[in-house]
Amino acid sequence: MPTLILVRHGRSTANTEGLLAGWTPGVALDERGAAQAAALPGRLAGLPLSEIVTSPLQRCQETLRPLLDARPELRVHTDERIGECHYGDWSGRKLAELQDEPLMQVVQAHPSAAAFPGGESMRAMQTRAAEAVREWNARVERDHGADAVYLMCSHGDIIKSLVAEALGLHLDLFQRISVEPCSVTAIRYTRLRPFLVRLGDTGDFASLAPREEPHGDEAPVGGGAGAP
């Protein structure tokens, strides 16, 4: 079965403003995010990509633009199932103010029980994304062969949930996984099991350096803004 390259979108204006973007329209890459996207073709230059699948949201589309300009022969497909979690009434709100919501503790410690008001549950998010991957695996293998490599551009919580699913981890453990903006995660699927071969690779170790403000104990909902 194919190898899936999961790319989180570059840093967005919502990331730097501390907002939970969700499906809010008009959320673009910021200056750093655009630079991350511009570097993506070089980082992936050695990969014979067969197909590209993307979330419909603007920040993912902008992340892929330099790659598609560099490889005009690639076909790109939009799949809403790998779009961001539907955060409902939380969408567009500041993450700092959401910390006081009782639901945030559930999101952090027991995400399989979390359902966003006016939105979807985190279980539903993981299920739709995993179903999309299974269907695209079969399609890519049929059209390009079992050794094909294809790319999906998606969002932090989606990618974390797919990694958890590939590793056989309960969704309640997915907040232990971190994927920064424009990071590359790779999962090689086989008949018997998936293999996680890259996780959140940015080629940049700046995010590991000590910060003036500590990282804290909670996972950034939506994925976080990455290294300062």
Side-chain angles (χ1 to χ4, degrees):
M1 296 180 70
T3 296
L4 170 60
I5 307 299
L6 288 161
V7 175
R8 186 184 167 199
H9 62 79
R11 196 174 74 175
S12 72
T13 53
N15 293 146
T16 47
E17 292 170 9
L19 301 176
L20 186 62
W23 285 69
T24 305
V27 176
L29 298 184
D30 68 6
E31 185 176 353
R32 179 169 182 173
Q36 291 170 332
L40 194 59
R43 293 170 62 198
L44 301 177
L47 290 178
L49 298 174
S50 58
E51 303 276 0
I52 291 183
V53 187
T54 182
S55 158
L57 296 174
Q58 179 179 339
R59 51 198 183 273
C60 286
Q61 307 274 344
E62 291 181 356
T63 298
L64 288 177
R65 192 167 298 148
L67 179 62
L68 294 171
D69 287 344
R71 300 204 203 180
E73 75 282 1
L74 286 174
R75 291 186 297 173
V76 60
H77 312 269
T78 299
D79 193 326
E80 291 196 355
R81 295 174 296 176
I82 62 167
E84 180 63 283
C85 185
H86 291 276
Y87 296 117
D89 297 344
W90 280 25
S91 298
R93 293 180 60 187
K94 284 192 170 294
L95 286 163
E97 68 182 37
L98 290 171
Q99 297 302 320
D100 296 329
E101 296 280 352
L103 178 61
M104 182 59 85
Q105 292 182 337
V106 182
V107 171
Q108 290 291 327
H110 191 18
S112 65
F116 296 97
E120 69 179 335
S121 69
M122 302 201 90
R123 284 182 292 107
M125 173 200 75
Q126 183 187 45
T127 297
R128 63 172 163 85
E131 287 178 349
V133 167
R134 283 191 285 272
E135 289 182 20
W136 278 103
N137 281 348
R139 178 172 173 177
V140 169
E141 181 173 8
R142 181 197 67 205
D143 294 345
H144 301 282
D147 294 328
V149 179
Y150 75 107
L151 182 148
M152 282 185 169
C153 187
S154 188
H155 306 266
D157 282 347
I158 294 286
I159 294 173
K160 287 163 57 178
S161 75
L162 289 172
V163 170
E165 200 262 351
L167 292 176
L169 295 177
H170 196 283
L171 184 61
D172 286 347
L173 301 178
F174 101 127
Q175 297 289 30
R176 301 183 182 193
I177 299 165
S178 177
V179 289
E180 293 200 354
C182 222
S183 63
V184 173
T185 295
I187 302 171
R188 186 173 71 248
Y189 289 87
T190 74
R191 183 173 60 87
L192 297 181
R193 64 183 64 84
F195 292 89
L196 179 66
V197 292
R198 292 287 189 281
L199 176 61
D201 188 345
T202 62
D204 178 6
F205 293 100
S207 64
L208 303 180
R211 300 185 183 183
E212 292 183 7
E213 295 183 4
H215 288 276
D217 297 328
E218 294 192 345
V221 181

